Amino acid sequence: MYNMILQIVWVLSAVTLMLIQTHAQSVSEDKCATGVHAIIARGQGGGDDLNVMSTLSDLILKQIPGSTTLGLPYDHGNVLTNLDKLYTVHDGTLLMQQFVQEYSESCPQTKIVGAVIMMDSLCGTSEVGVLFVAPLARTYNSTIIAAIAYGDETYFPGMPWNVGNCTLGIGMYQLLPRLNPALCGPFTSSMHSYCDYGDEQCCSPYPEDGNAAHHGYIWKYNQDVVDFIKHRLATID
């Protein structure tokens, strides 16, 4: 049904490259997933490497046969200052690129799906005040079939990959808009960036409800994400 081609689901929040310098995603051919391989990176804070993103992992495993999932092992519990976050996101972006490259080398027929704050890994950085990361090589645009972000702080209004009811992108913490979204071009058809009104990170600090919108994506959109992955699987060569 899915042409027996491996897919990687890519879910990026923040990672620390220093933790993994080996080929952590190199696997033997018989270990390659026949559905999707999900590399899922959760947000910062305590808990295991999947935390609330286990809900997306479970849906993928249940609805796309032959899939495997992985919680990206970054130092999500030790981001105490904005400077910590700056370096963690930078290193995590590079680590996610490394994981994709390694898994693709192990499984050359791999198709990749990515989700949650992985925009810099695809598009590189063009935000003011962040550390430079080059875009992922455009040759991966035939490998990455879906790339998903929830409440991305680099949200830029009017992009074809935007999903949700935010239209302005003026959140309290939305200080890092992507200044060169054209760098995302090779991956446009694969990208969905979810941003709703009320999310302080990507859209608006109002209403003052504890940033509920930012914490509600998994319940509101997880099934939409899996449906998007399945649609891409059914339509891509």
Side-chain angles (χ1 to χ4, degrees), residues 1-63:
M1 180 178 182
Y2 301 122
N3 300 320
M4 299 299 289
I5 295 176
L6 168 70
Q7 322 294 322
I8 296 177
V9 178
W10 207 7
V11 187
L12 174 62
S13 295
V15 192
T16 302
L17 182 61
M18 295 181 295
L19 294 180
I20 298 180
Q21 295 291 346
T22 60
H23 292 274
Q25 282 293 279
S26 295
V27 299
S28 60
E29 185 177 352
D30 64 321
K31 300 295 184 182
C32 292
T34 57
V36 301
H37 175 58
I39 304 173
I40 301 175
R42 43 135 322 162
Q44 67 192 65
D48 63 26
D49 291 335
L50 279 175
N51 199 258
V52 296
M53 294 309 299
S54 63
T55 57
L56 180 59
S57 171
D58 291 344
L59 279 181
I60 292 169
L61 293 174
K62 180 179 180 180
Q63 297 187 25

Side-chain angles (χ1 to χ4, degrees), residues 31 38 62 65 106 108 111 118 125 127 134 147 156 166 197 220:
K31 300 295 184 182
K62 180 179 180 180
S106 295
K111 300 296 180 182
M118 37 57 62
T125 53
E127 307 92 288
F156 194 89
C166 181
Y197 181 78
K220 187 175 182 179

Side-chain angles (χ1 to χ4, degrees), residues 153 169-176 198-208 211:
E153 294 182 2
I170 53 173
M172 182 181 299
Y173 304 116
Q174 215 278 320
L175 303 175
L176 301 171
D199 184 333
E200 295 178 358
Q201 269 72 16
C202 66
C203 191
S204 170
Y206 303 107
E208 297 179 356
N211 204 17

